[in-house]
PDB file of all heavy atoms in Angstrom:
ATOM      1  N   SER M   1      -1.245   7.414  11.765  1.00 92.00           N
ATOM      2  CA  SER M   1      -2.659   7.171  12.033  1.00 92.00           C
ATOM      3  C   SER M   1      -3.131   6.056  11.106  1.00 92.00           C
ATOM      4  O   SER M   1      -2.443   5.697  10.135  1.00 92.00           O
ATOM      5  CB  SER M   1      -3.477   8.436  11.767  1.00 92.00           C
ATOM      6  OG  SER M   1      -3.473   8.735  10.378  1.00 92.00           O
ATOM      7  N   GLN M   2      -4.295   5.525  11.364  1.00 95.00           N
ATOM      8  CA  GLN M   2      -4.845   4.483  10.502  1.00 95.00           C
ATOM      9  C   GLN M   2      -5.049   5.017   9.089  1.00 95.00           C
ATOM     10  O   GLN M   2      -4.769   4.329   8.108  1.00 95.00           O
ATOM     11  CB  GLN M   2      -6.158   3.950  11.061  1.00 95.00           C
ATOM     12  CG  GLN M   2      -6.725   2.811  10.223  1.00 95.00           C
ATOM     13  CD  GLN M   2      -7.946   2.161  10.833  1.00 95.00           C
ATOM     14  OE1 GLN M   2      -8.275   2.401  11.979  1.00 95.00           O
ATOM     15  NE2 GLN M   2      -8.614   1.328  10.068  1.00 95.00           N
ATOM     16  N   ASP M   3      -5.516   6.261   8.976  1.00 95.00           N
ATOM     17  CA  ASP M   3      -5.713   6.873   7.655  1.00 95.00           C
ATOM     18  C   ASP M   3      -4.396   6.965   6.887  1.00 95.00           C
ATOM     19  O   ASP M   3      -4.354   6.707   5.689  1.00 95.00           O
ATOM     20  CB  ASP M   3      -6.330   8.265   7.777  1.00 95.00           C
ATOM     21  CG  ASP M   3      -7.799   8.227   8.165  1.00 95.00           C
ATOM     22  OD1 ASP M   3      -8.425   7.148   8.062  1.00 95.00           O
ATOM     23  OD2 ASP M   3      -8.322   9.281   8.578  1.00 95.00           O
ATOM     24  N   GLN M   4      -3.319   7.349   7.579  1.00 94.00           N
ATOM     25  CA  GLN M   4      -2.015   7.443   6.930  1.00 94.00           C
ATOM     26  C   GLN M   4      -1.525   6.069   6.476  1.00 94.00           C
ATOM     27  O   GLN M   4      -0.992   5.932   5.377  1.00 94.00           O
ATOM     28  CB  GLN M   4      -0.987   8.075   7.873  1.00 94.00           C
ATOM     29  CG  GLN M   4      -1.226   9.551   8.097  1.00 94.00           C
ATOM     30  CD  GLN M   4      -0.386  10.092   9.237  1.00 94.00           C
ATOM     31  OE1 GLN M   4      -0.216   9.434  10.262  1.00 94.00           O
ATOM     32  NE2 GLN M   4       0.139  11.289   9.040  1.00 94.00           N
ATOM     33  N   ARG M   5      -1.719   5.070   7.320  1.00 95.00           N
ATOM     34  CA  ARG M   5      -1.311   3.705   6.946  1.00 95.00           C
ATOM     35  C   ARG M   5      -2.085   3.240   5.714  1.00 95.00           C
ATOM     36  O   ARG M   5      -1.501   2.728   4.760  1.00 95.00           O
ATOM     37  CB  ARG M   5      -1.521   2.740   8.108  1.00 95.00           C
ATOM     38  CG  ARG M   5      -0.528   2.947   9.238  1.00 95.00           C
ATOM     39  CD  ARG M   5      -0.571   1.829  10.253  1.00 95.00           C
ATOM     40  NE  ARG M   5      -1.861   1.642  10.899  1.00 95.00           N
ATOM     41  CZ  ARG M   5      -2.281   2.323  11.961  1.00 95.00           C
ATOM     42  NH1 ARG M   5      -1.512   3.248  12.512  1.00 95.00           N
ATOM     43  NH2 ARG M   5      -3.458   2.070  12.503  1.00 95.00           N
ATOM     44  N   GLU M   6      -3.393   3.418   5.745  1.00 96.00           N
ATOM     45  CA  GLU M   6      -4.217   2.983   4.625  1.00 96.00           C
ATOM     46  C   GLU M   6      -3.833   3.699   3.336  1.00 96.00           C
ATOM     47  O   GLU M   6      -3.763   3.082   2.262  1.00 96.00           O
ATOM     48  CB  GLU M   6      -5.702   3.197   4.932  1.00 96.00           C
ATOM     49  CG  GLU M   6      -6.223   2.233   5.984  1.00 96.00           C
ATOM     50  CD  GLU M   6      -7.642   2.537   6.435  1.00 96.00           C
ATOM     51  OE1 GLU M   6      -8.243   3.540   5.979  1.00 96.00           O
ATOM     52  OE2 GLU M   6      -8.173   1.761   7.262  1.00 96.00           O
ATOM     53  N   MET M   7      -3.565   4.998   3.427  1.00 95.00           N
ATOM     54  CA  MET M   7      -3.166   5.779   2.259  1.00 95.00           C
ATOM     55  C   MET M   7      -1.851   5.261   1.691  1.00 95.00           C
ATOM     56  O   MET M   7      -1.731   5.027   0.483  1.00 95.00           O
ATOM     57  CB  MET M   7      -3.029   7.259   2.639  1.00 95.00           C
ATOM     58  CG  MET M   7      -2.578   8.181   1.508  1.00 95.00           C
ATOM     59  SD  MET M   7      -0.785   8.355   1.201  1.00 95.00           S
ATOM     60  CE  MET M   7      -0.143   8.881   2.776  1.00 95.00           C
ATOM     61  N   LEU M   8      -0.852   5.044   2.547  1.00 96.00           N
ATOM     62  CA  LEU M   8       0.450   4.624   2.056  1.00 96.00           C
ATOM     63  C   LEU M   8       0.418   3.186   1.529  1.00 96.00           C
ATOM     64  O   LEU M   8       1.047   2.891   0.514  1.00 96.00           O
ATOM     65  CB  LEU M   8       1.530   4.781   3.134  1.00 96.00           C
ATOM     66  CG  LEU M   8       2.952   4.567   2.613  1.00 96.00           C
ATOM     67  CD1 LEU M   8       3.290   5.548   1.488  1.00 96.00           C
ATOM     68  CD2 LEU M   8       3.954   4.694   3.736  1.00 96.00           C
ATOM     69  N   VAL M   9      -0.325   2.308   2.170  1.00 97.00           N
ATOM     70  CA  VAL M   9      -0.450   0.929   1.675  1.00 97.00           C
ATOM     71  C   VAL M   9      -1.055   0.950   0.267  1.00 97.00           C
ATOM     72  O   VAL M   9      -0.565   0.272  -0.647  1.00 97.00           O
ATOM     73  CB  VAL M   9      -1.288   0.063   2.640  1.00 97.00           C
ATOM     74  CG1 VAL M   9      -1.703  -1.244   1.994  1.00 97.00           C
ATOM     75  CG2 VAL M   9      -0.507  -0.199   3.921  1.00 97.00           C
ATOM     76  N   LYS M  10      -2.089   1.748   0.064  1.00 96.00           N
ATOM     77  CA  LYS M  10      -2.728   1.859  -1.252  1.00 96.00           C
ATOM     78  C   LYS M  10      -1.758   2.453  -2.268  1.00 96.00           C
ATOM     79  O   LYS M  10      -1.600   1.937  -3.373  1.00 96.00           O
ATOM     80  CB  LYS M  10      -3.983   2.731  -1.136  1.00 96.00           C
ATOM     81  CG  LYS M  10      -4.737   2.918  -2.426  1.00 96.00           C
ATOM     82  CD  LYS M  10      -5.993   3.756  -2.205  1.00 96.00           C
ATOM     83  CE  LYS M  10      -6.752   3.935  -3.485  1.00 96.00           C
ATOM     84  NZ  LYS M  10      -6.553   5.209  -4.124  1.00 96.00           N
ATOM     85  N   GLU M  11      -1.086   3.540  -1.891  1.00 95.00           N
ATOM     86  CA  GLU M  11      -0.114   4.199  -2.783  1.00 95.00           C
ATOM     87  C   GLU M  11       1.017   3.239  -3.152  1.00 95.00           C
ATOM     88  O   GLU M  11       1.443   3.185  -4.302  1.00 95.00           O
ATOM     89  CB  GLU M  11       0.469   5.454  -2.129  1.00 95.00           C
ATOM     90  CG  GLU M  11      -0.510   6.594  -1.970  1.00 95.00           C
ATOM     91  CD  GLU M  11      -0.679   7.416  -3.232  1.00 95.00           C
ATOM     92  OE1 GLU M  11       0.071   7.214  -4.203  1.00 95.00           O
ATOM     93  OE2 GLU M  11      -1.579   8.263  -3.241  1.00 95.00           O
ATOM     94  N   MET M  12       1.514   2.485  -2.180  1.00 96.00           N
ATOM     95  CA  MET M  12       2.612   1.557  -2.436  1.00 96.00           C
ATOM     96  C   MET M  12       2.201   0.478  -3.424  1.00 96.00           C
ATOM     97  O   MET M  12       2.960   0.137  -4.334  1.00 96.00           O
ATOM     98  CB  MET M  12       3.097   0.921  -1.134  1.00 96.00           C
ATOM     99  CG  MET M  12       4.063   1.765  -0.353  1.00 96.00           C
ATOM    100  SD  MET M  12       5.593   2.141  -1.246  1.00 96.00           S
ATOM    101  CE  MET M  12       6.292   0.508  -1.475  1.00 96.00           C
ATOM    102  N   ALA M  13       1.008  -0.078  -3.270  1.00 96.00           N
ATOM    103  CA  ALA M  13       0.538  -1.108  -4.203  1.00 96.00           C
ATOM    104  C   ALA M  13       0.491  -0.552  -5.630  1.00 96.00           C
ATOM    105  O   ALA M  13       0.897  -1.223  -6.586  1.00 96.00           O
ATOM    106  CB  ALA M  13      -0.818  -1.638  -3.768  1.00 96.00           C
ATOM    107  N   GLU M  14       0.035   0.697  -5.773  1.00 95.00           N
ATOM    108  CA  GLU M  14      -0.043   1.329  -7.093  1.00 95.00           C
ATOM    109  C   GLU M  14       1.353   1.609  -7.650  1.00 95.00           C
ATOM    110  O   GLU M  14       1.626   1.361  -8.829  1.00 95.00           O
ATOM    111  CB  GLU M  14      -0.864   2.613  -7.017  1.00 95.00           C
ATOM    112  CG  GLU M  14      -2.337   2.365  -6.744  1.00 95.00           C
ATOM    113  CD  GLU M  14      -3.128   3.636  -6.475  1.00 95.00           C
ATOM    114  OE1 GLU M  14      -2.566   4.753  -6.616  1.00 95.00           O
ATOM    115  OE2 GLU M  14      -4.314   3.522  -6.114  1.00 95.00           O
ATOM    116  N   LEU M  15       2.248   2.134  -6.815  1.00 94.00           N
ATOM    117  CA  LEU M  15       3.616   2.425  -7.254  1.00 94.00           C
ATOM    118  C   LEU M  15       4.338   1.153  -7.675  1.00 94.00           C
ATOM    119  O   LEU M  15       5.030   1.123  -8.698  1.00 94.00           O
ATOM    120  CB  LEU M  15       4.419   3.095  -6.130  1.00 94.00           C
ATOM    121  CG  LEU M  15       4.044   4.508  -5.732  1.00 94.00           C
ATOM    122  CD1 LEU M  15       4.919   4.973  -4.577  1.00 94.00           C
ATOM    123  CD2 LEU M  15       4.180   5.457  -6.892  1.00 94.00           C
ATOM    124  N   LEU M  16       4.191   0.112  -6.879  1.00 96.00           N
ATOM    125  CA  LEU M  16       4.856  -1.148  -7.185  1.00 96.00           C
ATOM    126  C   LEU M  16       4.339  -1.742  -8.493  1.00 96.00           C
ATOM    127  O   LEU M  16       5.113  -2.298  -9.275  1.00 96.00           O
ATOM    128  CB  LEU M  16       4.695  -2.127  -6.026  1.00 96.00           C
ATOM    129  CG  LEU M  16       5.442  -1.717  -4.751  1.00 96.00           C
ATOM    130  CD1 LEU M  16       4.989  -2.572  -3.570  1.00 96.00           C
ATOM    131  CD2 LEU M  16       6.949  -1.801  -4.938  1.00 96.00           C
ATOM    132  N   ALA M  17       3.049  -1.599  -8.754  1.00 96.00           N
ATOM    133  CA  ALA M  17       2.491  -2.071 -10.027  1.00 96.00           C
ATOM    134  C   ALA M  17       3.129  -1.314 -11.191  1.00 96.00           C
ATOM    135  O   ALA M  17       3.395  -1.897 -12.245  1.00 96.00           O
ATOM    136  CB  ALA M  17       0.968  -1.904 -10.032  1.00 96.00           C
ATOM    137  N   ASN M  18       3.417  -0.034 -10.987  1.00 95.00           N
ATOM    138  CA  ASN M  18       4.053   0.778 -12.034  1.00 95.00           C
ATOM    139  C   ASN M  18       5.486   0.353 -12.327  1.00 95.00           C
ATOM    140  O   ASN M  18       6.014   0.691 -13.388  1.00 95.00           O
ATOM    141  CB  ASN M  18       4.033   2.265 -11.655  1.00 95.00           C
ATOM    142  CG  ASN M  18       2.666   2.874 -11.822  1.00 95.00           C
ATOM    143  OD1 ASN M  18       1.890   2.462 -12.671  1.00 95.00           O
ATOM    144  ND2 ASN M  18       2.357   3.862 -11.003  1.00 95.00           N
ATOM    145  N   VAL M  19       6.125  -0.344 -11.397  1.00 96.00           N
ATOM    146  CA  VAL M  19       7.490  -0.826 -11.638  1.00 96.00           C
ATOM    147  C   VAL M  19       7.514  -2.330 -11.902  1.00 96.00           C
ATOM    148  O   VAL M  19       8.558  -2.965 -11.864  1.00 96.00           O
ATOM    149  CB  VAL M  19       8.467  -0.437 -10.486  1.00 96.00           C
ATOM    150  CG1 VAL M  19       8.539   1.061 -10.330  1.00 96.00           C
ATOM    151  CG2 VAL M  19       8.106  -1.114  -9.174  1.00 96.00           C
ATOM    152  N   GLY M  20       6.332  -2.906 -12.150  1.00 95.00           N
ATOM    153  CA  GLY M  20       6.234  -4.307 -12.535  1.00 95.00           C
ATOM    154  C   GLY M  20       6.094  -5.300 -11.395  1.00 95.00           C
ATOM    155  O   GLY M  20       6.327  -6.492 -11.586  1.00 95.00           O
ATOM    156  N   LEU M  21       5.714  -4.815 -10.224  1.00 95.00           N
ATOM    157  CA  LEU M  21       5.538  -5.697  -9.076  1.00 95.00           C
ATOM    158  C   LEU M  21       4.071  -5.685  -8.636  1.00 95.00           C
ATOM    159  O   LEU M  21       3.585  -4.701  -8.094  1.00 95.00           O
ATOM    160  CB  LEU M  21       6.420  -5.253  -7.899  1.00 95.00           C
ATOM    161  CG  LEU M  21       7.921  -5.304  -8.129  1.00 95.00           C
ATOM    162  CD1 LEU M  21       8.660  -4.581  -7.020  1.00 95.00           C
ATOM    163  CD2 LEU M  21       8.383  -6.752  -8.229  1.00 95.00           C
ATOM    164  N   THR M  22       3.370  -6.767  -8.896  1.00 92.00           N
ATOM    165  CA  THR M  22       1.983  -6.876  -8.494  1.00 92.00           C
ATOM    166  C   THR M  22       1.929  -7.598  -7.150  1.00 92.00           C
ATOM    167  O   THR M  22       2.469  -8.684  -7.012  1.00 92.00           O
ATOM    168  CB  THR M  22       1.169  -7.647  -9.536  1.00 92.00           C
ATOM    169  OG1 THR M  22       1.325  -7.006 -10.802  1.00 92.00           O
ATOM    170  CG2 THR M  22      -0.297  -7.704  -9.159  1.00 92.00           C
ATOM    171  N   CYS M  23       1.312  -6.943  -6.179  1.00 93.00           N
ATOM    172  CA  CYS M  23       1.223  -7.564  -4.849  1.00 93.00           C
ATOM    173  C   CYS M  23       0.080  -6.936  -4.070  1.00 93.00           C
ATOM    174  O   CYS M  23      -0.439  -5.895  -4.430  1.00 93.00           O
ATOM    175  CB  CYS M  23       2.537  -7.415  -4.095  1.00 93.00           C
ATOM    176  SG  CYS M  23       3.044  -5.710  -3.835  1.00 93.00           S
ATOM    177  N   GLU M  24      -0.286  -7.603  -2.991  1.00 95.00           N
ATOM    178  CA  GLU M  24      -1.330  -7.125  -2.092  1.00 95.00           C
ATOM    179  C   GLU M  24      -0.786  -7.178  -0.673  1.00 95.00           C
ATOM    180  O   GLU M  24      -0.257  -8.196  -0.237  1.00 95.00           O
ATOM    181  CB  GLU M  24      -2.558  -8.019  -2.226  1.00 95.00           C
ATOM    182  CG  GLU M  24      -3.761  -7.501  -1.483  1.00 95.00           C
ATOM    183  CD  GLU M  24      -4.987  -8.356  -1.755  1.00 95.00           C
ATOM    184  OE1 GLU M  24      -5.265  -8.641  -2.943  1.00 95.00           O
ATOM    185  OE2 GLU M  24      -5.651  -8.737  -0.776  1.00 95.00           O
ATOM    186  N   PHE M  25      -0.919  -6.076   0.047  1.00 97.00           N
ATOM    187  CA  PHE M  25      -0.414  -5.993   1.417  1.00 97.00           C
ATOM    188  C   PHE M  25      -1.444  -6.497   2.409  1.00 97.00           C
ATOM    189  O   PHE M  25      -2.635  -6.188   2.298  1.00 97.00           O
ATOM    190  CB  PHE M  25      -0.043  -4.550   1.763  1.00 97.00           C
ATOM    191  CG  PHE M  25       1.224  -4.089   1.116  1.00 97.00           C
ATOM    192  CD1 PHE M  25       1.187  -3.393  -0.080  1.00 97.00           C
ATOM    193  CD2 PHE M  25       2.456  -4.346   1.689  1.00 97.00           C
ATOM    194  CE1 PHE M  25       2.353  -2.964  -0.696  1.00 97.00           C
ATOM    195  CE2 PHE M  25       3.624  -3.933   1.091  1.00 97.00           C
ATOM    196  CZ  PHE M  25       3.576  -3.238  -0.113  1.00 97.00           C
ATOM    197  N   ASP M  26      -0.968  -7.244   3.389  1.00 96.00           N
ATOM    198  CA  ASP M  26      -1.802  -7.714   4.491  1.00 96.00           C
ATOM    199  C   ASP M  26      -1.122  -7.311   5.796  1.00 96.00           C
ATOM    200  O   ASP M  26       0.095  -7.420   5.919  1.00 96.00           O
ATOM    201  CB  ASP M  26      -1.955  -9.241   4.465  1.00 96.00           C
ATOM    202  CG  ASP M  26      -2.754  -9.714   3.260  1.00 96.00           C
ATOM    203  OD1 ASP M  26      -3.843  -9.167   3.019  1.00 96.00           O
ATOM    204  OD2 ASP M  26      -2.269 -10.625   2.566  1.00 96.00           O
ATOM    205  N   GLU M  27      -1.940  -6.884   6.753  1.00 95.00           N
ATOM    206  CA  GLU M  27      -1.383  -6.532   8.063  1.00 95.00           C
ATOM    207  C   GLU M  27      -0.885  -7.798   8.744  1.00 95.00           C
ATOM    208  O   GLU M  27      -1.575  -8.818   8.773  1.00 95.00           O
ATOM    209  CB  GLU M  27      -2.421  -5.825   8.923  1.00 95.00           C
ATOM    210  CG  GLU M  27      -1.846  -5.261  10.193  1.00 95.00           C
ATOM    211  CD  GLU M  27      -2.829  -4.372  10.961  1.00 95.00           C
ATOM    212  OE1 GLU M  27      -3.898  -4.053  10.421  1.00 95.00           O
ATOM    213  OE2 GLU M  27      -2.496  -4.025  12.091  1.00 95.00           O
ATOM    214  N   ASP M  28       0.313  -7.725   9.279  1.00 90.00           N
ATOM    215  CA  ASP M  28       0.927  -8.888   9.939  1.00 90.00           C
ATOM    216  C   ASP M  28       0.539  -8.928  11.402  1.00 90.00           C
ATOM    217  O   ASP M  28       0.496  -7.965  12.087  1.00 90.00           O
ATOM    218  CB  ASP M  28       2.447  -8.816   9.776  1.00 90.00           C
ATOM    219  CG  ASP M  28       3.126 -10.067  10.280  1.00 90.00           C
ATOM    220  OD1 ASP M  28       2.541 -11.141  10.140  1.00 90.00           O
ATOM    221  OD2 ASP M  28       4.244  -9.945  10.793  1.00 90.00           O
TER     222      ASP M  28
END
């Protein structure tokens, strides 16, 4: 669902920052 996508995109950005990867996701 859109809510699930938004949640995981947000979680992934936070997780990646914790491993030293700063990035921002954009829908392709």
Side-chain angles (χ1 to χ4, degrees):
S1 68
Q2 183 174 349
D3 287 345
Q4 289 168 320
R5 289 191 301 275
E6 289 173 357
M7 178 274 304
L8 189 59
V9 166
K10 180 178 180 259
E11 291 278 352
M12 277 299 297
E14 292 172 6
L15 291 178
L16 292 168
N18 285 330
V19 300
L21 297 168
T22 304
C23 60
E24 188 175 311
F25 286 95
D26 293 310
E27 189 171 351
D28 187 34

